[in-house]
């Protein structure tokens, strides 16, 4: 399915992203009605629900499920941020993160060749385990940058693209993305998907990625707003 076709069916696109993100992290998945959910066993120990532009009634049902446990999270993909901030308040949820975006790219526009490291003191290690592709750049014993990817139905989902503070502004974020893209081409891939932080949005836009929508995270406790793209 092409990027344009995916964007025309954003509910399906969200399901593909949840499947790839859960695959990257080894999370159990299920459906809550028509909406995907993932068990964040390593973070909250509870379920996170995902929805694209739910109706008022659907939001009420998801909010009620979320409020059953302080560790649960409801994440909404939307371009109507104010509506869902209002609905969250009406249902006793607190918006804990509103700075992330979902982004998409046509993989044909991405470099398919293994990239070259910018410095001789850096070394790349790539691996694959249980369908998860890993790329890690080391500087001696230190991890300088890392990321992972998982392919679902022709879509490469990229996750945890991290450059450590001591190694930033050396092009390693771009390098990791290229290294993961090169691995993704071992599959039949058409699209790339990821969630981006504010800093990441600048990098991915430079690499040709487009914003699909904004990501709002909310919970009853107001304490579980971790960045889905990196944590």
């Amino acid at each position: 399915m092409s990027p344009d076709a995916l964007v025309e069916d954003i509910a399906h696109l969200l399901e593909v992203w949840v499947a790839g993100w859960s695959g990257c992290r080894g999370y159990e998945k299920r459906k809550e009605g028509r909406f995907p959910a993932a068990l964040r066993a390593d973070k909250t120990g509870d379920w996170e629900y995902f929805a694209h532009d739910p109706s008022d009634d659907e939001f009420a049902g998801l909010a009620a499920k979320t409020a059953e446990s302080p560790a649960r999270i409801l994440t909404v993909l939307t371009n109507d941020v104010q509506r869902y901030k209002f609905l969250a308040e009406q249902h006793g949820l607190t918006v804990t993160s509103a700075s992330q975006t979902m982004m998409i790219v046509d993989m044909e526009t991405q470099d398919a060749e293994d990239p070259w490291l910018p410095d001789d003191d850096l070394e790349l290690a790539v691996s694959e385990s249980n369908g998860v592709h890993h790329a890690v750049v080391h500087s001696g014993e230190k991890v300088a940058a890392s990321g992972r990817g998982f392919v679902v139905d022709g879509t490469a989902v990229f996750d945890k693209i991290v450059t450590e503070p001591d190694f930033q502004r050396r092009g390693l974020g771009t390098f990791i993305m290229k290294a993961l893209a090169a691995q993704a081409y071992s599959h039949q891939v058409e699209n790339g998907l990821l969630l981006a932080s504010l800093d990441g949005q600048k990098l991915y836009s430079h690499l040709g990625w487009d914003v699909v929508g904004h990501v709002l995270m909310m919970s009853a406790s107001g304490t579980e707003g971790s960045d889905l793209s990196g944590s």
Side-chain angles (χ1 to χ4, degrees), residues 102-143:
M102 179 173 284
M103 303 185 76
I104 192 169
V105 76
D106 183 340
M107 288 296 290
E108 286 190 356
T109 68
Q110 302 299 288
D111 194 343
E113 301 295 327
D114 288 323
W116 293 91
L117 278 163
D119 297 296
D120 291 339
D121 65 323
L122 300 175
E123 183 177 357
L124 171 67
V126 297
S127 61
E128 184 272 332
S129 177
N130 297 320
V132 183
H133 294 280
H134 298 268
V136 182
V137 173
H138 289 91
S139 175
E141 297 298 318
K142 292 183 178 180
V143 172

Side-chain angles (χ1 to χ4, degrees), residues 6 85 111-112 127 154 168 178:
L6 266 182
K85 285 184 173 180
D111 194 343
S127 61
Q168 292 178 357
K178 289 182 177 180

Side-chain angles (χ1 to χ4, degrees), residues 9-180:
D9 186 359
I10 297 185
H12 175 65
L13 179 149
L14 179 60
E15 289 187 10
V16 170
W17 176 82
V18 172
W21 179 75
S22 298
C24 279
R25 300 179 181 224
Y27 290 160
E28 178 186 347
K29 307 187 304 298
R30 75 177 189 198
K31 284 291 192 73
E32 183 64 40
R34 71 179 183 91
F35 300 105
L39 180 60
R40 300 197 70 181
D42 60 337
K43 295 294 181 182
T44 65
D46 214 322
W47 290 94
E48 180 163 359
Y49 306 113
F50 298 88
H52 168 251
D53 281 346
S55 68
D56 288 7
D57 287 345
E58 288 172 332
F59 186 92
L62 289 167
K65 290 293 294 185
T66 303
E68 290 176 2
S69 167
R72 287 186 182 171
I73 303 169
L74 172 58
T75 294
V76 174
L77 176 65
T78 185
N79 281 311
D80 192 352
V81 171
Q82 293 307 314
R83 176 190 178 194
Y84 291 102
K85 285 184 173 180
F86 173 78
L87 285 174
E89 183 177 355
Q90 294 298 301
H91 291 279
L93 300 182
T94 299
V95 174
T96 56
S97 176
S99 62
Q100 299 170 89
T101 57
M102 179 173 284
M103 303 185 76
I104 192 169
V105 76
D106 183 340
M107 288 296 290
E108 286 190 356
T109 68
Q110 302 299 288
D111 194 343
E113 301 295 327
D114 288 323
W116 293 91
L117 278 163
D119 297 296
D120 291 339
D121 65 323
L122 300 175
E123 183 177 357
L124 171 67
V126 297
S127 61
E128 184 272 332
S129 177
N130 297 320
V132 183
H133 294 280
H134 298 268
V136 182
V137 173
H138 289 91
S139 175
E141 297 298 318
K142 292 183 178 180
V143 172
S146 59
R148 59 184 70 177
F150 193 91
V151 176
V152 178
D153 295 336
T155 296
V157 178
F158 298 84
D159 185 38
K160 285 195 173 185
I161 312 301
V162 176
T163 301
E164 300 302 328
D166 290 345
F167 298 91
Q168 292 178 357
R169 303 191 182 281
R170 295 171 65 176
L172 292 183
T174 298
F175 178 87
I176 287 291
M177 290 298 294
K178 289 182 177 180
L180 289 171

